[in-house]
Amino acid sequence: GGRRLANRPLLERDRVRADLYQMRQAGINTVRLYHPPPNWFLDECEEARLKAFITIPWEQHVSFLDDRRRRRAIRQQITGAVSAIQGHPAVFAYAVGNEIPCGIVRWYGSRKVERFIESLVDAARQIDPRSLYTYANYPSTEYLLPPSVDFYCYNVYLHLQADFQRYLSRLQNLAGEKPLILGEFGLDTVRHSEEEQARMLHWHIETVARMGLAGTVLFAWTDEWFTGGHLIEDWKFGLVDAQRRPKKAYFEAQHLFKDTHRVPLARYPSVSVVVCSYNGG
């Protein structure tokens, strides 16, 4: 599970601490952030026994490959963000970008964009080689598969279970031997009921487990979120409302994430584990 933070300064520390505690009570173990947080936020994550999945934003909606100075500035944004928090035990992974527009990718060609993403991963890895790195993709550019990432990540909003399951099979084929994580999935409770949101998150989490994914991020934690410095009031994707009152989906996620300790499946596969060692005893 996860929480999407606003495009604005973080909330006051006491509010963040309460949010993280409430997430942990729901069985959530990872928080997705869309901007690099200050170290105190990561300290609070560590205290709450949560990991941070940190997206580092940059100018991806413009023709970024045409200007050498812009490319250099983007790399500096990536390395600067990683340098500021490198080595913090609460960091799970970094995403060196999120949903480059498909028009931009088609204009440059997928291989050029992949190589640029790889250059960002390589630059960040030189700063903090112990962390995991990915790029947050989406279906419109599913063919972007930079080989240097540690796992593939896709934001997917398919709200029909059969279509969703078929698409996960495709993504698993694209991911090959690398782990696959969903970076976003959710349902707005302005246009849909809380009951619909809860039912959808139930089959979503069960399908993710059954299809063998490494995890999923539920968008979003709270109805109180901002973008461009403005409060968004006509979308309410939260597991809790703006006052942090749990919706029905919160309890559904809690049941699947925490109370049962694992998602119940009709049948669990047998797994053989082979451990190889060099000159081991």
Side-chain angles (χ1 to χ4, degrees):
R3 174 196 184 199
R4 182 171 184 170
L5 285 184
N7 183 18
R8 66 163 189 159
L10 293 171
L11 299 171
E12 62 275 8
R13 190 162 183 168
D14 287 345
R15 176 71 271 173
V16 168
R17 184 181 297 123
D19 276 347
L20 296 176
Y21 176 78
Q22 195 175 12
M23 290 180 205
R24 191 65 199 178
Q25 290 300 107
I28 292 169
N29 59 24
T30 302
V31 183
R32 185 175 179 192
L33 309 170
Y34 287 71
H35 295 269
N39 274 274
W40 67 257
F41 185 96
L42 295 175
D43 293 341
E44 293 293 343
C45 286
E46 185 180 15
E47 182 68 24
R49 295 181 293 119
L50 290 165
K51 294 293 185 179
F53 177 17
I54 301 166
T55 304
I56 306 173
W58 46 272
E59 298 172 297
Q60 58 195 26
H61 293 84
V62 299
S63 52
F64 53 86
L65 291 183
D66 290 347
D67 187 334
R68 180 179 298 177
R69 288 175 298 179
R70 177 171 281 148
R71 296 197 304 272
R72 186 184 305 117
I74 292 169
R75 290 193 187 95
Q76 289 173 346
Q77 283 179 259
I78 298 293
T79 56
V82 174
S83 297
I85 52 180
Q86 64 168 317
H88 198 290
V91 174
F92 160 65
Y94 297 96
V96 296
N98 182 74
E99 296 187 6
I100 297 173
C102 57
I104 296 286
V105 177
R106 286 198 300 266
W107 177 255
Y108 288 124
S110 60
R111 191 61 198 120
K112 286 185 179 180
V113 177
E114 280 182 354
R115 284 199 295 265
F116 184 67
I117 294 171
E118 289 180 67
S119 74
L120 299 182
V121 171
D122 293 342
R125 210 186 296 277
Q126 290 180 29
I127 302 296
D128 188 355
R130 295 176 297 176
S131 292
L132 300 177
Y133 294 92
T134 191
Y135 162 71
N137 208 344
Y138 68 130
S140 298
T141 59
E142 63 175 24
Y143 46 83
L144 279 180
L145 298 165
S148 61
V149 299
D150 294 299
F151 61 92
Y152 288 113
C153 176
Y154 285 84
N155 305 328
V156 178
Y157 287 87
L158 278 174
H159 290 162
L160 295 176
Q161 185 176 9
D163 293 343
F164 179 72
Q165 183 168 325
R166 283 193 294 269
Y167 191 61
L168 290 193
S169 295
R170 174 170 175 77
L171 290 183
Q172 286 286 36
N173 287 331
L174 291 174
E177 297 180 353
K178 291 194 175 182
L180 173 64
I181 288 178
L182 294 188
E184 289 181 17
F185 181 90
L187 187 72
D188 169 38
T189 57
V190 171
R191 296 156 187 84
H192 302 272
S193 68
E194 285 193 24
E195 289 76 14
E196 287 179 278
Q197 184 194 38
R199 284 196 301 271
M200 187 170 292
L201 290 188
H202 180 96
W203 64 248
H204 168 81
I205 295 168
E206 286 197 332
T207 303
V208 165
R210 186 167 57 252
M211 300 299 291
L213 275 70
T216 184
V217 178
L218 304 180
F219 177 74
W221 167 243
T222 173
D223 288 342
E224 183 189 20
W225 66 286
F226 293 71
T227 187
H230 301 287
L231 177 66
I232 304 302
E233 298 186 278
D234 59 345
W235 280 359
K236 297 186 183 298
F237 280 82
L239 295 180
V240 300
D241 66 17
Q243 288 72 44
R244 281 30 175 206
R245 292 174 300 213
K247 298 182 188 177
K248 296 180 186 299
Y250 175 94
F251 298 108
E252 200 66 56
Q254 183 181 57
H255 172 69
L256 292 171
F257 286 158
K258 181 182 179 183
D259 293 348
T260 59
H261 300 288
R262 62 179 181 179
V263 175
L265 302 177
R267 182 175 61 85
Y268 293 94
S270 299
V271 178
S272 298
V273 178
V274 179
V275 179
C276 301
S277 65
Y278 181 74
N279 289 338

